[in-house]
Amino acid sequence: PGKVLKEVDGKTLLGIHLERLKKCTKVSDIIVATTVEDSDTIIYEKAIEWGYTASRGSESDVLDRFYQAVKDKNADWIVRVTSDCPLIDPILVDDVIRFVQEKDKDYGANILVENFPDGQDIEVFKFSALEKAWKEASLQSEREHVTPYIRNNSDYKGGNLFSAVNYPCEFDFSKVRMTVDENRDFDLIKILINKLGIDKSWKEYTEFIIDNDLTKVNDQKNLAYVYSNM
């Protein structure tokens, strides 16, 4: 709880995340889509204070919250990233956007094959696909996240409602975590920012983690072992 407002060197994780996204050249607007819960009022207010567009919606029906946030923007394409990934790479975001648009797919991402570090997850899809999902998705599992209905009904998964493509990564970095789900994830982010700052590429952060054997800081196998022995 409250993780995106935790601070490193006086900057919140959300602020760092948004600062990095501002460097994207193929993004025309950034929208912070938070919930109507009282605890998230501060997220909405901070986003507005920093000069970003912000909206509020359902905590449980995230697909509806996402759709309501963008429906009046006249956007052809939507990019989805999550705010617990403070070191998202803006150049990688641009690359995924360009790749999906050139392929002219309904949906494209670098997560269909999970080779990028966790925390560099980028999804790009047509507004028409989002709207179709919003209208047709009925399962709770399809509403509490934004894109399962699109992914699961795509040709990539054997479906026939949407076309999809994966943005490939040359090597498997899936064991590297730059997302913040646990306190130990935050510990690693603090190390990366203190040592490298907030302006490096995903590859530079990844190389630093590997070269300094920092995967042990937030390794999920270790975490599972700790939990199993509590």
Side-chain angles (χ1 to χ4, degrees):
K3 61 186 178 181
V4 300
L5 295 179
K6 292 177 76 70
E7 295 187 356
V8 181
D9 288 344
K11 290 188 175 185
T12 65
L13 297 186
L14 177 61
I16 294 168
H17 175 78
L18 294 171
E19 277 186 42
R20 288 176 65 84
L21 287 175
K22 278 179 69 174
K23 296 178 181 179
C24 295
T25 62
K26 296 187 71 62
V27 171
S28 57
D29 194 8
I30 297 172
I31 304 171
V32 178
T34 190
T35 81
V36 293
E37 299 300 307
D38 289 343
S39 59
D40 287 331
T41 296
I42 188 171
I43 292 177
Y44 177 83
E45 291 176 345
K46 283 291 184 184
I48 298 295
E49 177 187 328
W50 296 334
Y52 296 95
T53 303
S55 67
R56 307 185 74 174
S58 171
E59 181 178 37
S60 57
D61 190 345
V62 186
L63 176 55
D64 181 68
R65 187 207 316 171
F66 204 90
Y67 175 76
Q68 298 299 333
V70 302
K71 69 176 184 178
D72 297 324
K73 294 296 182 179
N74 297 316
D76 297 314
W77 296 86
I78 311 295
V79 182
R80 177 176 179 257
V81 292
T82 57
S83 58
D84 55 3
C85 301
L87 299 179
I88 193 78
D89 190 325
I91 294 177
L92 181 60
V93 173
D94 282 340
D95 288 344
V96 176
I97 294 171
R98 188 178 299 108
F99 180 80
V100 178
Q101 289 181 332
E102 287 176 353
K103 300 287 187 181
D104 194 28
K105 300 294 186 178
D106 295 315
Y107 172 93
N110 64 345
I111 61 170
L112 292 174
V113 178
E114 296 181 350
N115 282 344
F116 280 91
D118 195 353
Q120 296 295 333
D121 301 353
I122 301 157
E123 296 179 287
V124 179
F125 40 91
K126 293 180 179 178
F127 175 77
S128 57
L130 175 66
E131 188 166 54
K132 185 175 180 66
W134 175 75
K135 289 178 179 178
E136 298 181 1
S138 57
L139 299 176
Q140 181 180 347
S141 61
E142 297 169 342
R143 307 294 308 190
E144 64 186 3
H145 300 288
V146 178
T147 56
Y149 183 84
I150 300 174
R151 290 199 308 272
N152 294 337
N153 290 285
S154 71
D155 53 8
Y156 197 92
K157 296 284 189 176
N160 57 13
L161 296 183
F162 307 99
S163 58
V165 64
N166 183 70
Y167 181 85
C169 185
E170 186 177 3
F171 301 105
D172 183 359
F173 295 113
S174 58
K175 289 184 172 57
V176 175
R177 290 177 53 81
M178 297 180 204
T179 190
V180 181
D181 289 327
E182 309 286 344
N183 283 322
R184 62 197 322 189
D185 293 325
F186 181 59
D187 292 339
L188 178 61
I189 294 296
K190 284 192 292 186
I191 292 171
L192 294 177
I193 292 174
N194 288 332
K195 295 293 186 181
L196 300 178
I198 64 172
D199 296 317
K200 296 294 187 289
S201 69
W202 76 268
K203 289 182 179 179
E204 290 171 296
Y205 289 122
T206 299
E207 288 172 359
F208 186 83
I209 290 170
I210 293 171
D211 290 346
N212 292 277
D213 195 25
L214 295 178
T215 54
K216 63 187 178 185
V217 173
N218 61 345
D219 180 81
Q220 291 300 289
K221 289 182 179 179
N222 288 344
L223 188 63
Y225 178 78
V226 170
Y227 284 160
S228 69
N229 285 277
M230 289 179 70

